Amino acid sequence: MAGIVLVGLAAYGVLRSDGQETAPGSEDAEVTVATERAVQITGAGGASIAGTLNVPDAAERGPVPAVLIIPGFGPTDRDGIAPPGGAPDPLYSDISDMLGDIGIASFRYDKRGSGQSELPEDQPLSFDDMVGDAEAGLSFLAERAETDPERLAVVGHDEGGMVALRLAADPRVTSLVLVSTPGRPLVDVLADDFVNQTAVPDPAHGQAHAERLRSVVATLLATGQVPDPEDLPPELRPVFPPDRVGYLQEVFSFDPVAEARRVDVPVLIVRGGRDPGVSAIDADNLVAALGPEAEVVVGPEAGHTLALPPVEPDGGGGSSDTMHSQEFHRAIPGVRRDEGLLQRVGAWLAAGLGADEARAASKQEVAVTATGMRFEPAEQRLAAGNYTFRFTNEDTVPHELRLAAGGRHDTHLAEVTDVQPGETRSFTAHLRPGVYEMACHLPGHFESGMRGTIIVEAAPPTPPQPRTYGGLL
C-alpha cells in the first residue's frame, strides 16, 4: 500500500484557515479547523502527489462518506483545467464544493507532472502509474478518521474516467461516476472532437486533422513511433509529445468497453450534450458493457466540463467548449457550470453512499404562493443549504414554478409544472451562494409579473475548534 504523508498533522504544524501549513511555533500560527486541507500522498513509484482534502462539518459527528476525484487529460490540476496563460475551468473544485455541501468528503489532486505533483525524472509518464496514484488517493481516504472506508466512491473526468474504470476492481470502491468518459477508442473520440469543435471554423480543415490523427495513431500502435513535432499541424502537436510514446501507446490502446465489462458496482454516466468529442455513442457503449443498471444523465446545453455556453456581451450564447481547446478557455472570463447537472450527480452519490439522511435533516422549507399573477413573497433571502420549495397556487388559473440561476431561462435547477388552482406541489434544491430567479413560463405569465428573486448568502462560518490527531490518520 502506498505511503501517506499528511500536511498539517500536529507534529508538523497546524493549519491556517486557508488550509496552508505553518511551522510549529511560528508567530502567526493559529489553531483552526479548515474545511479544505492541503495534503501530500505518496503515489506510484514513490512520486509525491499533492492534493486537497475537503471534509464537511458533518464529520464532527462521525465518519462521513467520501469521494475520490480523478483528473482528466491535458493541463489539469486538482481544481480542473488549467491552461497555461488561460482562464481556469475549476470543474473538480466545483464537484468537491457540491459534495461538501451535502455532507460528503472528497480528495482531489494534481495529476503527476502538474501543479505541485512531481513526475520523477527517472520515471516516464505511465497510465498504469496514474492508476497507482488514484489507488493511493483511495487508500488515503480509507485511512482517514473523518471518512467511512465502507462508503467510498470515485468520480473520474475523461481520462480520469478511464482510470476509474480500472480502479473499480479495488473492493473498496462502492460506486463510480464517469464524467465525459470515452466509450470508444480514444482516437475516435479525438477525431470527432477535431471535426466538431468550433475552434476550427472550416469543417474540411477539421476533417483533415482527424484523418491525420488516425494515421499517426495507427503508426504509433504499430511501430511505437510518432512524427517529429515540426512534421505535424500545430493543432496535433500537443497530442503527440515525442517523450511520451509509452504513455500514448497505453491510452490509445485502452479499450473502455472491455474495462467496463469488468466493473461490478453501480455506475452513473454523465455527459454534456454540447461535448464535441464524447457523445451519446460513448454513453450507449458503456451502458451496454456495464449492464442495464448503469444510469445516464445528460445536460443538453453543457460541454465537456459540464459548463454552459459563455454569455456574449449581447446576451447571446457562445459556442460550446471543446475537449482540449486552450483558445476556448482564454476567451471566457469565467465558467458557468450546469448546476442542475451537478445536483443530479450529488443526489445519486448521496443515495448510494447513505448521505441522504444527513442531508434531509438539514433541509429547510420555502413557501411560495401564486396569487393575482404574482409570486408571494417576490423576494427572499436565504442562507446556503438544502431547501424544499412548497408552491401553492391560490390563483384561478394553472401556474408553474421554475427555479434557475439568475438570468438563465433555458436551464432550470428544479421545477413544478401544471400546478392547478388550489393545488400545492413541492421540489427540493441545494442552493449555493448566488442569485436565483423564480419564474412561470406559461404563455404571458412571466411578462405579466410572475417572477421572483432568491438571494442566497454564504452560511455563517462555524466557530473554529481545535482538533487533536492521533497517529497517522
Side-chain angles (χ1 to χ4, degrees), residues 51-340:
T52 296
L53 174 69
N54 189 329
V55 179
D57 292 340
E60 297 289 349
R61 300 186 293 273
V64 296
V67 170
L68 175 69
I69 301 172
I70 306 177
F73 286 114
T76 58
D77 59 22
R78 73 191 72 183
D79 292 334
I81 294 177
D89 185 336
L91 171 62
Y92 314 143
S93 177
D94 286 351
I95 292 174
S96 177
D97 288 345
M98 176 271 294
L99 293 172
D101 289 340
I102 61 176
I104 300 176
S106 64
F107 177 60
R108 63 189 194 273
Y109 58 94
D110 299 336
K111 185 172 60 177
R112 59 171 48 215
S114 68
Q116 299 176 35
S117 293
E118 68 174 356
L119 178 62
E121 293 183 1
D122 60 344
Q123 293 182 22
L125 185 65
S126 163
F127 182 80
D128 286 343
D129 283 346
M130 291 182 180
V131 177
D133 294 341
E135 184 177 8
L138 195 68
S139 296
F140 171 71
L141 286 175
E143 295 171 11
R144 295 290 301 173
E146 306 99 319
T147 56
D148 185 349
E150 301 298 321
R151 294 187 291 167
L152 300 178
V154 176
V155 173
H157 174 237
D158 63 32
E159 183 185 28
M162 295 161 60
V163 172
L165 285 170
R166 189 162 290 178
L167 187 64
D170 190 308
R172 297 171 295 183
V173 177
T174 63
S175 58
L176 297 181
V177 176
L178 305 177
V179 180
S180 305
T181 299
R184 298 169 286 163
L186 182 60
V187 64
D188 294 334
V189 176
L190 290 181
D192 282 355
D193 189 47
F194 275 114
V195 170
N196 297 327
Q197 64 174 296
T198 54
V200 179
D202 182 358
H205 196 54
Q207 185 62 48
H209 285 336
E211 293 174 0
R212 180 67 167 136
L213 172 79
R214 292 184 183 279
S215 173
V216 173
V217 170
T219 300
L220 167 70
L221 296 181
T223 68
Q225 297 180 340
V226 296
D228 292 333
E230 57 268 21
D231 294 332
L232 290 170
E235 293 85 352
L236 289 183
R237 291 172 189 170
V239 181
F240 299 105
D243 58 343
R244 298 285 189 262
V245 171
Y247 161 77
L248 293 173
Q249 288 179 300
E250 289 180 291
V251 295
F252 278 111
S253 61
F254 186 90
D255 185 346
V257 169
E259 298 287 344
R261 290 195 183 109
R262 303 187 183 101
V263 174
D264 193 28
V265 296
V267 179
L268 179 69
I269 299 165
V270 185
R271 70 176 187 87
R274 289 178 177 263
D275 190 328
V278 177
S279 67
I281 298 172
D282 298 277
D284 291 345
N285 287 352
L286 290 172
V287 169
L290 292 163
E293 294 186 359
E295 300 179 45
V296 179
V297 293
V298 181
E301 297 300 313
H304 188 68
T305 63
L306 311 187
L308 297 170
V311 175
E312 296 177 347
D314 63 359
S319 61
S320 63
D321 60 328
T322 65
M323 286 182 63
H324 308 288
S325 171
Q326 294 185 21
E327 291 303 321
F328 170 82
H329 292 281
R330 291 192 183 99
I332 58 176
V335 176
R336 298 181 307 116
R337 199 76 57 207
D338 188 331
E339 291 288 342

Side-chain angles (χ1 to χ4, degrees), residues 395-464:
D395 211 342
T396 58
V397 296
H399 287 298
E400 63 183 18
L401 175 61
R402 298 177 184 263
L403 185 68
R408 291 287 298 184
H409 301 290
D410 55 347
T411 302
H412 300 100
L413 302 180
E415 60 192 30
V416 285
T417 60
D418 193 29
V419 182
Q420 297 298 313
E423 186 179 10
T424 297
R425 300 261 298 280
S426 63
F427 61 76
T428 61
H430 176 78
L431 301 184
R432 298 169 66 180
V435 178
Y436 299 81
E437 187 170 33
M438 301 182 296
C440 176
H441 287 305
L442 293 175
H445 289 205
F446 184 84
E447 294 77 6
S448 297
M450 290 213 70
R451 66 188 76 175
T453 303
I454 302 290
I455 300 172
V456 180
E457 300 168 340
T462 302

